[in-house]
Amino acid sequence: MRRAAWHWLVVCSGLVIVAGCGFQLRGQSPLPFDSAYVEAAEGSVLKPLLSQYLRLNGKRVLPNAAGAQVVIRIDKETRSKDILSLSGSGKVREYRLGYRLVLSAFDAAGRQILAPTEHQLTRDYSYDDTQVLAKEGEEAQLMRDMEQAMLRQVVRRLAFAKP
């Protein structure tokens, strides 16, 4: 019985410490607008992801800028794949993937409420000629992860756009 009481005391102490240190799970950023228009170049990867995110969070995504509280502009969205290192025999050993864009936002009157801000992500991965299919799958997964990370960055930045 004494051992069970000791375990209970340790668990309760741990909960008190965690509650007292201010630990809090990161929640969603509240967006300060109700309707938006997302403007991006043809073939943008982030535009459909952002539009879907906004809809799922109760925001109206309009087909044009007329009537939108906020116009979100995604510019210079680029992906890159660079050689990071070579082996002694000149074969690729590592690649660096990059994803970059410039984000800005405007209110209904056309005033800038979010200055153009560059967002950039990179991921490195090793490469092996004997595992081409596996490495292609890894690259695709890394790009999907970078797209989701970029979406989270953009949403956090939009939380500060006050129309």
Side-chain angles (χ1 to χ4, degrees):
M1 186 66 177
R2 188 166 166 90
R3 188 172 192 189
W6 177 253
H7 286 297
W8 180 250
L9 179 65
V10 169
V11 169
C12 288
S13 298
L15 290 174
V16 168
I17 289 171
V18 168
C21 76
F23 174 78
Q24 184 177 4
L25 290 174
R26 182 173 57 181
Q28 289 183 340
S29 301
L31 297 174
F33 52 86
D34 295 320
S35 64
Y37 169 67
V38 181
E39 181 181 311
E42 187 69 31
S44 170
V45 175
L46 192 64
K47 181 180 178 177
L49 292 174
L50 181 57
S51 297
Q52 179 183 18
Y53 177 88
L54 293 172
R55 281 189 200 96
L56 290 173
N57 285 283
K59 309 299 180 190
R60 288 180 320 166
V61 179
L62 303 176
N64 55 45
Q69 230 180 334
V70 173
V71 174
I72 302 164
R73 183 176 294 154
I74 300 169
D75 289 321
K76 301 176 185 169
E77 184 177 3
T78 58
R79 295 172 176 223
S80 62
K81 180 179 176 181
D82 301 316
I83 296 173
L84 193 57
S85 67
L86 298 171
S87 68
S89 61
K91 293 185 177 182
V92 175
R93 292 182 56 140
E94 291 180 304
Y95 281 109
R96 172 169 285 161
L97 299 175
Y99 186 33
R100 179 183 167 279
L101 60 83
V102 176
L103 176 76
S104 57
F106 302 87
D107 66 7
R111 290 184 304 262
Q112 190 174 63
I113 57 173
L114 190 63
T117 310
E118 182 176 323
H119 297 266
Q120 184 171 344
L121 295 170
T122 59
R123 299 290 185 270
D124 300 340
Y125 74 100
S126 62
Y127 185 76
D128 186 357
D129 288 345
T130 62
Q131 300 175 352
V132 174
L133 290 177
K135 291 301 177 176
E136 284 177 0
E138 180 181 1
E139 179 181 333
Q141 182 62 45
L142 284 171
M143 286 307 291
R144 283 191 297 272
D145 291 346
M146 287 171 51
E147 291 163 4
Q148 291 298 317
M150 185 66 77
L151 175 64
R152 288 189 297 273
Q153 273 189 23
V154 165
V155 168
R156 280 193 303 273
R157 186 74 178 118
L158 287 172
F160 294 102
K162 305 288 185 202

